[in-house]
C-alpha cells in the first residue's frame, strides 16, 4: 500500500485554503525573517523551533492587524448593534492554523516555510492550547489541572501553564484598564445608595483577534487579567510590613491567576465568585464606555433608552449572572436612572443560555458570602426578587409554595441565591442547546417560569465550525468533498446533502474509506510514539473522549471493555472484530469519583494490553491531557463515536457533531443532540440503544435498584466482581470499592440498567464493521446529514431570534481598498 499523503501534501491540493502566489510567498518569507531578527532578536544559528513558531505567528498576525483595525473602524462608522458573548470559558484551541485558513494564507505559508527549510507541522505543534476552557476561567495563566494517567495507573495533575512562553496573538490594552470593587459597605441617602470603602482590583484587558472566513472581518475576544493598584496596601508597605503588602498584592491578582479550588472549601467559593464578578464588572464598564462614545455629539446627558437597540449581551450559563445586578447598579447608582426604567432596559439587554440540568451544577451563592463580598449587589438582588414575587402573588394569591419554589432566594439549608432563577427573571430570552434539553428546562426544571412567560423560552441547538473541524483537522476529507460538490459547503454546510447522491458511487466510497485509513495511520503513529503501543490498523477505532463525569458513563464503556476481554479469554479462537478503544478527558480537581473512573480505565487497560492471549485483538488507550489540538488528531481517525450519557442528562454535546462530520458512526442514547442527529440521518444510520427520557423518569418514580441487573446478567456480574475483587488492582484489592459501592447503591445514571442493551448494540457495530462498503456508505450518509450542526446556523438563529440583528454577507473592505467602496458598503448595510 502506498504511503499516505502527509497533511502538508493534502493541504497543498486544497484551493479553499488559499492560493500559492510567488509574491505572497516572498512577502511571507520576508516577514518571517524580519520578525526572527527584529522581534525575537535571533538568527538561524541560535533560533529554536519555538522561535520559528513565534516568527511565523507574528508574520501571520501582520496580515490580521490591518483587517482588525479596519473592522473596528467600520463598526465605529456604521454604529451597528453590538453583540457581547459573556462567558468565563473560551476553549479556543490553537490559533495559528485556524488563522491561516480563515485568511486564505495556508498554502502560501506552507510553501514559504518549506522554502525556508523548516517543517510546518513541527512549528504548528509548538503552539500551546489556550487554557481558557474545560475548567479554565477568564484569562488563566496558572493551574488548570489535567489528568494524566501513566502506565502504573497513577492519576497525576500538572499545571497547564500555557502562557509561560508568551502569547503572540494577544495585545495588552493598559489604556483601557478599569477598576473593579469588592467588599465595603452601602451608605443610604436621599440621593440613593453609595457603595463605599471598597477594595479595588484593576482589570487589564487583553485582546485576541478572531478572523472570519475569507471576509476581511476580524472581531475581538477580550480577556481580563487582575492587577493590584499601585497604591495597594501602601500603608502596610510604609510601616515596614513588606511581606504582607506583597502577599496582599498577590491575593488580589490571584483572581485571574489560578483556577478556583475544590468547591468543598469555602475559600474556593469566594475566589470563584470574585472571578465571576471581576469579569462581568470589567466587561460592563467597557460596554457602557463604548455605548457612550457612539452617543458623542448628542446634547445633554446620555440617554440609555436606546441601549437594548445597540447592545445585546448573551449570558453563557449562570457564571456571568452577576452582570444583571451589576448593570442595575450602574444604571441606578451611577447613571441615576429610576429603578423601573433601569430594569426594563436590563431585561431587554440580557439573554441567557442554560447548559445543564444537573442540580449540582446549578450555581447557588450563599447570601452571607454575597453580603460580605458584594453588599450592594445583594440589596439589588433582594429588590429584583421582591418585584418578581409581587408579580407571582398577584397571579397566584395565597400560593406560598409556588412563591417559595420560584423565589431567587432559597431558604432550605441556609439562604442562597439561585443564579439560574436570577438569569431567567433578568433576561428577555432563555434557551437550551438542543431540542430535548430545551424541552426539559421548559417542561421540568424551570416549568413554572415557562408557564409564567412561555414566549421567553427557546431552543438553539449547538453547532461546530466546519473550518476548524473539517478543513483544518481533516484536509483529505475536505478536499474530497470539495472535488465532489464544490467549495461552497465551507460557508454553507447544508450543501453536504449533495453527498447523498454519491452513497452508491463505488469510487467515492473507496476514496472516503482511503481517507479514513490514512487518518488512522497517522494517528496510530502518534499513539505508538506517545504511548509505546503497537496499533492494529485493521482494528475499529472506538473513541470516547469528553469530560469525565458519571452521567457521561465512561463506566459503561469500561464494563464493555471488560466484557470483550473476558470473551477473548474464554474462547481465544472465536471470531472477534479487533478494537482499539481510546478514552480521554479531564476530571475536575475535586471530583473524587471522576478520578477513580480514570484510574479504573487505565488499570483495565494495563491488564488488557499486557495479556498475550488478547494480543492485537483489543487495546485500551487513555489519552493524556485531552485538549482541542489532540481532538483535531483523534476525531478524523475515529470509526465509532461513543455518546452514551443517560437519556435526559447531556444538554447537547458538540463532540458528537464533530465525529459525525468527519465520517465516524455513532453509538449512543437518545440524549442531547443525538436526538437531532438521528432525525437528520435516520436512526437506522446510527447505533441507538438504551432508555429514553420517559423511561428514566418512570424508573426514578419506581426507584432504581442495581442488584437485579447484577444478579440476572452473568457477564455484568463477572465484570463487576473483577473490579470489586481487585482483579485489575491486585496490589490494592479495595482500590475501586468506591466505584462499585456507587454502582450498587447510589448510581443516579443507571449504568447497569443500560448495560445489556449497550452490549447487544455493540455486537451490531462489530457485525457491520466486517462489511467495509456498507460501513462507509453509512459514514457518507452521516457526513451528508451533518449540515444542520454548523455553528453558522446556530449563530444565525441567535442573531435573528434572540439578539435582534440581521446577519449579512457583506464583506468589510480590506485596509487598502478605496474609501468609496467603504462608503458604499456602509450605505448598503445601513439600508439592510
Amino acid at each position: 500500500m502506498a504511503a499516505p499523503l502527509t497533511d502538508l501534501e493534502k493541504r497543498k491540493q486544497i484551493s479553499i485554503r488559499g492560493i500559492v502566489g510567488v509574491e505572497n510567498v516572498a512577502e511571507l518569507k520576508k516577514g518571517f525573517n524580519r520578525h526572527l531578527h527584529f522581534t525575537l532578536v535571533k538568527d538561524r544559528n541560535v533560533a529554536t523551533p519555538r522561535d520559528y513558531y513565534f516568527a511565523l505567528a507574528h508574520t501571520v498576525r501582520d496580515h490580521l492587524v490591518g483587517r482588525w483595525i479596519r473592522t473596528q473602524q467600520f463598526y465605529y462608522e456604521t454604529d451597528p448593534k453590538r453583540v457581547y458573548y459573556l462567558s468565563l470559558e473560551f476553549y479556543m484551541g490553537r490559533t495559528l492554523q485556524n488563522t491561516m485558513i480563515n485568511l486564505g494564507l495556508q498554502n502560501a505559508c506552507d510553501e514559504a516555510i518549506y522554502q525556508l527549510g523548516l517543517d510546518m507541522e513541527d512549528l504548528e505543534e509548538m503552539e500551546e492550547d489556550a487554557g481558557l476552557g474545560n475548567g479554565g476561567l477568564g484569562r488563566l495563566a496558572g493551574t488548570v489541572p489535567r489528568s494524566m494517567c501513566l502506565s502504573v495507573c497513577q492519576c497525576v495533575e500538572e499545571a497547564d501553564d500555557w502562557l509561560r512562553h508568551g502569547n503572540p496573538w494577544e495585545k495588552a490594552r493598559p489604556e483601557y484598564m478599569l477598576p473593579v470593587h469588592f467588599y465595603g459597605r452601602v451608605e443610604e441617602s436621599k440621593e440613593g445608595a453609595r457603595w463605599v470603602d471598597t477594595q479595588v482590583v484593576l482589570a487589564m484587558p487583553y485582546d485576541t483577534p478572531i478572523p472570519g472566513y475569507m471576509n476581511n472581518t476580524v472581531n475581538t475576544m477580550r480577556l481580563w487579567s487582575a492587577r493590584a493598584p499601585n497604591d495597594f496596601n501602601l500603608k502596610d508597605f510604609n510601616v515596614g510590613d513588606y511581606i504582607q503588602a506583597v502577599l496582599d498584592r498577590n491575593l488580589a491578582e490571584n483572581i485571574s491567576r489560578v483556577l478556583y479550588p475544590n468547591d468543598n472549601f469555602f475559600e474556593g467559593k469566594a475566589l470563584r465568585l470574585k472571578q465571576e464578578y471581576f469579569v462581568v464588572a470589567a466587561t460592563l464598564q467597557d460596554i457602557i464606555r463604548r455605548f457612550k462614545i457612539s452617543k458623542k455629539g448628542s446634547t445633554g446627558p446620555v440617554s440609555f433608552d436606546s441601549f437594548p437597540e445597540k447592545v445585546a449581551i448573551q449570558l453563557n450559563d449562570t457564571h456571568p449572572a452577576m452582570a444583571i445586578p451589576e448593570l442595575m447598579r450602574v444604571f441606578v447608582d451611577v447613571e441615576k436612572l429610576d429603578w423601573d426604567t433601569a430594569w426594563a432596559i436590563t431585561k431587554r439587554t440580557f439573554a441567557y443560555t442554560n447548559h445543564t440540568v444537573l442540580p449540582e451544577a446549578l450555581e447557588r451563592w450563599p447570601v452571607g458570602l454575597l453580603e460580605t463580598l458584594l453588599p450592594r449587589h445583594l440589596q439589588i438582588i433582594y429588590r429584583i426578587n421582591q418585584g418578581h414575587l409581587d408579580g407571582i402573588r398577584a397571579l397566584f394569591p395565597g400560593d406560598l409554595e409556588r412563591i417559595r419554589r420560584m423565589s431567587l432566594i432559597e431558604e432550605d439549608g441556609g439562604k442562597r441565591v439561585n443564579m439560574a432563577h436570577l438569569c431567567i427573571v433578568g433576561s428577555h430570552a432563555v434557551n437550551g442547546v438542543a431540542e430535548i434539553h430545551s424541552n426539559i428546562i421548559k417542561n421540568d426544571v424551570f416549568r413554572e417560569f415557562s408557564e409564567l412567560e412561555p414566549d421567553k423560552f427557546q431552543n438553539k441547538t449547538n453547532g461546530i465550525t466546519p473550518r476548524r473541524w473539517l478543513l483544518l483537522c481533516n484536509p483529505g476529507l475536505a478536499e474530497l468533498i470539495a472535488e465532489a460538490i464544490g467549495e461552497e459547503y465551507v460557508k454553507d454546510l447544508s450543501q453536504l446533502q449533495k453527498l447523498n447522491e454519491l452513497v452508491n458511487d463505488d469510487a467515492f466510497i473507496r476514496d472516503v474509506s482511503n481517507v479514513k485509513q490514512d487518518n488512522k495511520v497517522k494517528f496510530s503513529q502518534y499513539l505508538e510514539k506517545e504511548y509505546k503501543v503497537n496499533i492494529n490498523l485493521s482494528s475499529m477505532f472506538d473513541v470516547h473522549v469528553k469530560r469525565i463525569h458519571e452521567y457521561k458513563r465512561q463506566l459503561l464503556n469500561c464494563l464493555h471493555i471488560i466484557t470483550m476481554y473476558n470473551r477473548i479469554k474464554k474462547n481465544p479462537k472465536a471470531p472477534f472484530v479487533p478494537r482499539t478503544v481510546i478514552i480521554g478527558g479531564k476530571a475536575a480537581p475535586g471530583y473524587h469519583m471522576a478520578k477513580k473512573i480514570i484510574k479504573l480505565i487505565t488499570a483495565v487497560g494495563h491488564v488488557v494490553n499486557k495479556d498475550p492471549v488478547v494480543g492485537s485483538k483489543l487495546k485500551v488507550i487513555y489519552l493524556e491531557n485531552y485538549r482541542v489540538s489532540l481532538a483535531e488528531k483523534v476525531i478524523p481517525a475515529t470509526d465509532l463515536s461513543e455518546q452514551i450519557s443517560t437519556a435526559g442528562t447531556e444538554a447537547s454535546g458538540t463532540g458528537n457533531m464533530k465525529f459525525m462530520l468527519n465520517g465516524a458512526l455513532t453509538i449512543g442514547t437518545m440524549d442531547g443532540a443525538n436526538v437531532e442527529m438521528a432525525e437528520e440521518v435516520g436512526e437506522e444510520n446510527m447505533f441507538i440503544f438504551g432508555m429514553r427520557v420517559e423511561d428514566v423518569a418512570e424508573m426514578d418514580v419506581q426507584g432504581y435498584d442495581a442488584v437485579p441487573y447484577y444478579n440476572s446478567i452473568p457477564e455484568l456480574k463477572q465484570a463487576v466482581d473483577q473490579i470489586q475483587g481487585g482483579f485489575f488492582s491486585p496490589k490494592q484489592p479495595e482500590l475501586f470499592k468506591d466505584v462499585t459501592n456507587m454502582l450498587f447503591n447510589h448510581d443516579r445514571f443507571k449504568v447497569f440498567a443500560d448495560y445489556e442493551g449497550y452490549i447487544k448494540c455493540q455486537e451490531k457495530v462489530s457485525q457491520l464493521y466486517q462489511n467495509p462498503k456498507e460501513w462507509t456508505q453509512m459514514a457518507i450518509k452521516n457526513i451528508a446529514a451533518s449540515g444542520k450542526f454548523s455553528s453558522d446556523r446556530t449563530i444565525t438563529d441567535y442573531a435573528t431570534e434572540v439578539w435582534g440583528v440581521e446577519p449579512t454577507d457583506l464583506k468589510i473592505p480590506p485596509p487598502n481598498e478605496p474609501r468609496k467602496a467603504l462608503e458604499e458598503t456602509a450605505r448598503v448595510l445601513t439600508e439592510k
Side-chain angles (χ1 to χ4, degrees), residues 132-183:
L132 297 168
N134 203 30
L137 301 167
R139 184 182 177 275
L140 290 181
T143 56
V144 178
R146 61 192 187 191
S147 296
M148 302 182 67
C149 299
L150 312 180
S151 60
V152 292
C153 309
Q154 290 296 319
C155 187
V156 180
E157 291 175 325
E158 291 189 352
D160 182 12
D161 191 8
W162 65 281
L163 287 172
R164 62 187 177 277
H165 299 294
N167 180 3
W169 304 104
E170 69 182 11
K171 177 68 178 77
R173 304 286 194 187
E175 67 274 22
Y176 295 123
M177 191 140 50
L178 295 166
V180 176
H181 297 259
F182 294 99
Y183 301 106

Side-chain angles (χ1 to χ4, degrees), residues 380-662:
I380 291 169
I381 290 169
Y382 276 141
R383 183 162 177 183
I384 292 171
N385 193 42
Q386 185 62 49
H388 165 60
L389 296 183
D390 286 347
I392 295 172
R393 286 190 190 95
L395 291 170
F396 304 98
D399 193 343
L400 298 180
E401 272 302 300
R402 181 183 292 266
I403 290 170
R404 181 188 65 79
R405 291 190 303 267
M406 297 185 70
S407 175
L408 308 189
I409 312 298
E410 298 178 348
E411 310 226 4
D412 298 336
K415 281 191 174 184
R416 297 173 300 176
V417 179
N418 186 312
M419 304 308 282
H421 289 185
L422 175 62
C423 287
I424 293 169
V425 170
S427 299
H428 71 274
V430 177
N431 70 276
V433 290
E435 191 68 47
I436 186 173
H437 169 235
S438 298
N439 288 336
I440 288 171
I441 66 172
K442 186 166 62 176
N443 301 324
D444 184 9
V445 181
F446 304 125
R447 179 178 54 80
E448 290 175 315
F449 288 91
S450 173
E451 290 170 350
L452 200 63
E453 298 179 281
D455 293 340
K456 179 182 281 192
F457 287 76
Q458 306 181 17
N459 173 59
K460 296 289 172 282
T461 299
N462 277 340
I464 58 171
T465 169
R467 272 73 66 182
R468 180 179 293 276
W469 295 112
L470 189 56
L471 264 70
L472 186 156
C473 74
N474 201 342
L477 183 59
E479 173 61 12
L480 183 60
I481 294 172
E483 289 175 354
I485 65 171
E487 299 175 355
E488 286 303 308
Y489 79 89
V490 178
K491 292 188 280 188
D492 178 11
L493 209 61
S494 66
Q495 294 195 25
L496 291 179
Q497 293 174 358
K498 296 175 183 178
L499 294 177
N500 282 319
E501 299 170 12
L502 300 171
V503 166
N504 296 312
D505 185 310
D506 287 341
F508 189 71
I509 293 168
R510 183 191 64 243
D511 290 342
V512 170
S513 180
N514 288 341
V515 166
K516 179 64 70 176
Q517 192 63 23
D518 287 351
N519 291 332
K520 290 174 72 171
V521 168
K522 184 178 181 187
F523 189 60
S524 69
Q525 291 169 348
Y526 170 84
L527 292 177
E528 288 167 9
K529 177 184 174 185
E530 295 294 323
Y531 298 94
K532 307 297 185 282
V533 58
N534 292 322
I535 303 298
N536 180 355
L537 287 173
S538 66
S539 67
M540 181 198 308
F541 281 21
D542 176 351
V543 178
H544 195 177
V545 285
K546 50 185 74 244
R547 188 164 45 91
I548 306 301
H549 197 290
E550 289 161 80
Y551 87 84
K552 294 179 182 287
R553 297 204 296 192
Q554 285 90 355
L555 280 174
L556 183 57
N557 193 347
C558 189
L559 288 170
H560 176 237
I561 295 169
I562 297 170
T563 300
M564 288 190 291
Y565 171 74
N566 288 335
R567 287 180 178 182
I568 295 171
K569 293 289 284 184
K570 183 178 180 180
N571 191 353
K573 294 183 179 180
F576 185 85
V577 176
R579 289 203 191 208
T580 300
V581 182
I582 300 165
I583 300 176
K586 295 178 181 177
Y591 193 175
H592 170 75
M593 186 55 65
K595 293 181 180 181
K596 284 291 185 184
I597 291 169
I598 293 173
K599 284 190 178 185
L600 175 60
I601 293 166
T602 55
V604 170
H606 186 69
V607 170
V608 170
N609 296 343
K610 298 289 185 182
D611 195 318
V613 174
V614 174
S616 62
K617 292 179 180 178
L618 181 62
K619 294 293 181 188
V620 181
I621 297 170
Y622 194 92
L623 297 177
E624 299 175 359
N625 188 24
Y626 183 67
R627 58 203 184 278
V628 173
S629 59
L630 188 48
E632 291 165 2
K633 293 180 174 67
V634 67
I635 288 173
T638 298
D639 292 307
L640 183 69
S641 162
E642 300 268 355
Q643 309 295 332
I644 58 177
S645 53
T646 309
T649 59
E650 183 72 83
S652 168
T654 55
N656 44 7
M657 304 169 187
K658 295 164 192 170
F659 284 108
M660 184 186 196
L661 179 61
N662 282 273

Side-chain angles (χ1 to χ4, degrees), residues 109-255:
C109 286
D110 286 345
E111 181 61 27
I113 293 303
Y114 174 77
Q115 291 184 16
L116 289 165
L118 299 170
D119 187 295
M120 175 62 89
E121 291 185 36
D122 288 347
L123 300 192
E124 290 170 349
E125 285 298 315
M126 295 307 303
E127 183 174 5
E128 302 278 355
D129 283 53
L132 297 168
N134 203 30
L137 301 167
R139 184 182 177 275
L140 290 181
T143 56
V144 178
R146 61 192 187 191
S147 296
M148 302 182 67
C149 299
L150 312 180
S151 60
V152 292
C153 309
Q154 290 296 319
C155 187
V156 180
E157 291 175 325
E158 291 189 352
D160 182 12
D161 191 8
W162 65 281
L163 287 172
R164 62 187 177 277
H165 299 294
N167 180 3
W169 304 104
E170 69 182 11
K171 177 68 178 77
R173 304 286 194 187
E175 67 274 22
Y176 295 123
M177 191 140 50
L178 295 166
V180 176
H181 297 259
F182 294 99
Y183 301 106
R185 57 189 177 84
V186 180
E187 280 186 353
E188 302 283 356
S189 68
K190 292 180 181 178
E191 288 74 34
R194 289 178 62 240
W195 188 18
V196 298
D197 297 336
T198 58
Q199 291 183 13
V200 177
V201 175
L202 298 179
M204 162 85 89
Y206 285 80
D207 288 352
T208 298
I210 308 295
Y213 179 69
M214 306 288 279
N215 64 1
N216 298 324
T217 300
V218 181
N219 285 324
T220 302
M221 177 175 69
R222 175 158 285 186
L223 308 173
W224 300 94
S225 182
R227 297 284 187 270
N230 288 333
D231 61 349
F232 195 81
N233 277 4
L234 194 60
K235 178 183 174 185
D236 287 342
F237 188 90
N238 287 338
V239 298
D241 198 347
Y242 171 80
I243 299 298
Q244 188 59 47
V246 172
L247 290 175
D248 288 348
R249 173 178 288 271
N250 287 341
L251 194 63
E253 297 184 354
N254 279 347
I255 289 173

